[in-house]
Amino acid sequence: MTSTLENGNSLRDWQNDLRVAVSLLTRIPMAHPDGPAPSYLARALRVFPLVGAGIGGVVGIAYLGLLLVGVPQLPAAALALGVSALVTGALHEDGLADTGDGFGGGHDKARKLEIMRDSRLGTYGAVVLLVSFATRVFALAALPLVAVLPVLVTANALGRAVIPALAFKLPPARTDGLGARAGAPTKTVMATAAVIALVITLVMLPVKEALLSVLVAAAAAAAVAHLAQRQIGGQTGDVLGAAEQAAEVAVLVLCAARFGTGT
């Protein structure tokens, strides 16, 4: 009989994957039976878009709640994104900053990877983090209230969907990182994550905006992947975080342009 670990299709498998994904992507304590890095860690990437959608919903509720009590739009958007950082531990923001520092400050692959592993924030990282955060704040504040929750759910779901895609497409740049130990996700895992994200997007947004959101998220992630391949020959956890942020920003900007102008 094929074990559930091999086929991954039982309800328990999906529940275990969700527990792993929540524990990896958020600070929500989520116990699962096989420890923090189970053998099916790479398989759990298939449910990343579901967790992302939940994070987007939390951010949207926080933003709308702040507006409801009279906080102006720009401060409310900044505070809501602060809630996102609290929920996730600023996981992807940290990856974006480390990637900016490494790619901007290193002269060769070894030095770039060394800088990326350094927890201190440098100039390149600070600038790219500031640009990303400011862009998300202004894009969120530009959305009409009726679009806030659907757009945030979509942006966060698509942002997490690019992680398994890059982990599948690019080899690990290190041999000792969590990604290298977990192994690459299979094509089925990548495709499942993509389908889940696509369904969420089509449910949340009109068809035209949904398809455009998928395209810009994929383009942003592909740009990060191309840069990472040239800079360090593959991906790291920081690169995956940078790709998530790039995709999330791209979707937010697109939707702000589409919905914010009444188109």
Side-chain angles (χ1 to χ4, degrees):
M1 180 181 293
T2 303
S3 70
T4 56
L5 182 60
E6 290 172 336
N7 60 47
N9 291 325
S10 73
L11 178 60
R12 182 180 293 274
D13 290 327
W14 284 92
Q15 290 172 336
N16 286 340
D17 288 352
L18 192 58
R19 291 189 185 100
V20 173
V22 170
S23 66
L24 285 173
L25 296 178
T26 76
R27 287 194 166 184
I28 299 171
M30 183 67 67
H32 43 87
D34 301 306
S39 57
Y40 50 85
L41 179 60
R43 191 189 69 197
L45 272 64
R46 63 182 174 174
V47 296
F48 272 25
L50 288 175
V51 180
I55 294 169
V58 169
V59 177
I61 291 170
Y63 176 61
L64 294 174
L66 289 165
L67 293 179
L68 188 62
V69 298
V71 179
Q73 284 180 301
L74 285 175
L79 289 169
L81 291 175
V83 170
S84 173
L86 285 175
V87 171
T88 64
L91 175 68
H92 303 309
E93 288 86 351
D94 181 67
L96 176 65
D98 286 343
T99 300
D101 280 334
F103 288 6
H107 298 293
D108 55 33
K109 175 181 175 179
R111 180 57 181 155
K112 291 176 192 294
L113 290 172
E114 180 184 354
I115 292 172
M116 290 167 73
R117 185 160 272 175
D118 191 334
S119 61
R120 292 172 295 182
L121 180 63
T123 302
Y124 291 106
V127 170
V128 72
L129 192 60
L130 177 62
V131 170
S132 172
F133 187 80
T135 303
R136 286 188 292 155
V137 166
F138 280 93
L140 177 54
L143 291 172
L145 295 186
V146 70
V148 167
L149 273 173
V151 169
L152 283 171
V153 168
T154 297
N156 281 272
L158 288 173
R160 273 67 179 188
V162 306
I163 293 176
L166 264 66
F168 174 79
K169 293 289 187 181
L170 296 179
R174 293 192 183 99
T175 59
D176 59 343
L178 179 61
R181 294 197 302 272
T186 65
K187 184 180 291 187
T188 300
V189 167
M190 178 189 68
T192 301
V195 169
I196 290 173
L198 178 60
V199 170
I200 291 171
T201 302
L202 288 170
V203 169
M204 290 292 111
L205 299 179
V207 173
K208 186 174 183 179
E209 281 70 26
L211 296 179
L212 286 172
S213 295
V214 170
L215 287 175
V216 298
V224 173
H226 177 72
L227 182 61
Q229 185 68 55
R230 288 176 57 89
Q231 292 280 326
I232 57 175
Q235 49 84 11
T236 66
D238 288 331
V239 169
L240 299 180
E244 189 284 328
Q245 290 284 279
E248 188 179 325
V249 168
V251 173
L252 283 172
V253 170
L254 168 74
C255 289
R258 300 290 300 177
F259 297 119
T261 58
T263 57

